[in-house]
Structures are given as C-alpha cells and as structure tokens.
Amino acid sequence: MLNNDELAVLLKERKQLREQVSPEEWAARVELAACYRLIAHFRMTDWIYNHISARVPGSHEHYLINPFGLLYEEVSASNLVKVDVHGNLAEDVQLDVNPAAFVIHGAIHSARPDVGCVLHTHTAAGVAVAAQQEGLLPISQHAMRVYGQLCYHDFEGIALNNDEQQRLIADVGDRNVLILRNHGLLTMGRTVPEAFELMFYLERACQIQIAATSGTQKLIYPAEDVCRHAIAQFDGSPSYIQGRDWQALLRLLDRTDPSYKE
C-alpha cells in the first residue's frame, strides 16, 4: 500500500494518461469521474467504499473503476483504473481495487452487455429501506420512476464470494434497479447518466419513505391503476429531455471543482 506522499506522486504522474488512451476511453473516464463527484456532492458516499464502474468503449471484457483508497471527491479521469471482468488489473499501475467490487460489477458487466455503468451505494436511507420487509413503497413520484425496474437480492454477507455472482445475476434479470437487502442500493444504465439518474431517484424515494414512515400519520397509497400509469409514463421515451439534466449537473461540477476532468 502506498503512503499519502507516494500516492500523491503517482496520481500526478497519472495525469499524463490522456495521451496514452483513445479519445473514446478518455471521454468515458471524464464522464465516470463526473459521476463520482456528483455522488459525493449529493452526499451518497461511504468513505472510500462502494464503487461506480463504466464499460471501456468497444470492450466487453474491461471496465473502469475507482482505485481503492480514494474518496469520491478525489476521483478524476486519469486515476480511474482499468480492470477485466475477472477482477484483474488491465494496466501496470501501483493502485489497488477493492475485491468486493468484482463480485457485483464483474458479474453484471459479464452477464449484461446492455449495461454500460453500474452504480452502488450504502446510504442511510437506502440501507434503511433495504432492511424493511416490504422494500420500496409506491408512495411517491420518485418511487414510480424506478418501481417498474425494481428487483431484490438477499444479503449474503460482504460481497467477496464469487459463488454469489450467479444468484445476483438471476435476481437482477433484465431489471436496472436493485435493492440489496440489508446492504444498499444498485442501479444500472446503458450510460453513466442513465445509471446516475436512476440512483438519484431511488435515493430520493428512499429518503421520502423513511421520512413518511417515521411519523404517526397513515400513508396514502395511489390507486393501482394510477401507479401503473405513472410507471408507464416514466418508462416511456425521455427524448424531450435531450440530456439537459446531465449537462446542468456538469455545469455544477465545472463551477465547483473541474478537476474531475484531469
């Protein structure tokens, strides 16, 4: 393990990486680094733990992920590392990757070629809902955004057992929103912005649920046909948005700390 001084030197050297990778890979790195910074901005981090991964453009076998030991606010395009779906570093660099990342991220990237990004969190609200028997309740518009894509996976301990991968994949199927019982939240998207959007709505839905169930008032459940209608609306074409939300978020990062692009 590198000490902080050694790590600082290595990360500075890594800033030359842009000249060594394709323009497509560099663009993917910048987008993924932006996602890490946004998760930090919206207070969905858990110290140096958890992971967000993005498939390397044009490759089914490799994805990008954070080096173990960096806070999300420290992640940038150049210090993301490239690994294969079996958990092996695909580049010669003195950085480690948390082995727990491979059980979840390697399994999904391997089994779901349609998935370009996998995002995992351990937020207080997310874990709280993951510990509730009924899981996510359809009591908010935010919940409707993810409800039609929702699935569950039972807790098996820290995700270090490769045998869990097949059970995880079976539970996920073709859904893109997963609640890991007693553990946390996970979203998948064809792109980084898609995965982030789903996680933002899922996290807000969990926060709303914890707030709503903490009082003494009875909950209002929308009628089943209204729920189906709202779910169908969200599952319809979002083409009118045209990426405006993601562009707005990038402007936020550029105003606060544009070093994610380095």
Side-chain angles (χ1 to χ4, degrees), residues 37-260:
R37 298 296 184 94
L38 289 169
I39 291 294
H41 176 81
F42 289 105
R43 303 174 67 86
M44 289 189 268
T45 63
D46 193 12
W47 286 1
I48 62 172
Y49 304 102
N50 294 146
H51 328 280
I52 314 169
S53 62
R55 195 182 300 279
V56 175
S59 173
H60 181 65
E61 293 294 321
H62 297 94
Y63 59 92
L64 304 167
I65 202 163
N66 54 318
F68 191 38
L70 293 188
L71 297 168
Y72 277 25
E73 64 195 46
E74 297 176 301
V75 173
S76 68
S78 62
N79 62 43
L80 290 161
V81 294
K82 187 187 305 184
V83 298
D84 66 26
V85 294
H86 305 293
N88 304 307
L89 279 169
E91 53 180 317
D92 185 14
V93 61
Q94 289 181 283
L95 293 171
D96 299 317
V97 177
N98 188 337
F102 300 125
V103 171
I104 295 175
H105 293 255
I108 293 173
H109 281 294
S110 226
R112 291 279 304 274
D114 60 309
V115 169
C117 178
V118 181
L119 202 170
H120 177 39
T121 65
H122 289 167
T123 63
V127 177
V129 170
Q132 294 180 344
Q133 187 170 4
E134 294 185 48
L136 187 67
L137 303 175
I139 59 172
S140 68
Q141 180 168 286
H142 286 72
M144 304 302 177
R145 173 66 182 87
V146 299
Y147 211 72
Q149 303 186 54
L150 186 60
C151 55
Y152 295 85
H153 176 67
D154 288 339
F155 185 60
E156 299 189 25
I158 297 174
L160 295 172
N161 184 358
N162 288 335
D163 291 342
E164 186 179 353
Q165 289 186 319
Q166 293 307 311
R167 293 184 290 277
L168 176 69
I169 290 303
D171 287 336
V172 168
D174 62 355
R175 304 295 181 92
N176 289 324
V177 178
L178 174 66
I179 292 182
L180 297 150
R181 298 282 192 185
N182 308 100
H183 180 173
L185 308 176
L186 190 142
T187 58
M188 295 149 274
R190 291 171 299 175
T191 64
V192 170
E194 279 188 8
F196 178 80
E197 179 188 0
L198 287 173
M199 181 58 74
F200 183 86
Y201 275 89
L202 178 59
E203 172 63 21
R204 283 290 186 266
C206 290
Q207 292 174 356
I208 291 165
Q209 180 168 322
I210 295 305
T213 56
S214 64
T216 59
Q217 295 292 315
K218 291 184 178 180
L219 299 177
I220 297 174
Y221 285 82
E224 186 175 341
D225 62 328
V226 173
C227 290
R228 287 197 301 267
H229 174 63
I231 291 167
Q233 286 179 310
F234 277 120
D235 287 344
S237 172
S239 57
Y240 70 95
I241 299 174
Q242 298 178 333
R244 291 183 178 97
D245 48 4
W246 184 251
Q247 292 302 313
L249 292 169
L250 293 182
R251 293 196 302 272
L252 182 153
L253 291 179
D254 289 341
R255 287 195 302 271
T256 54
D257 184 0
S259 65
Y260 70 95

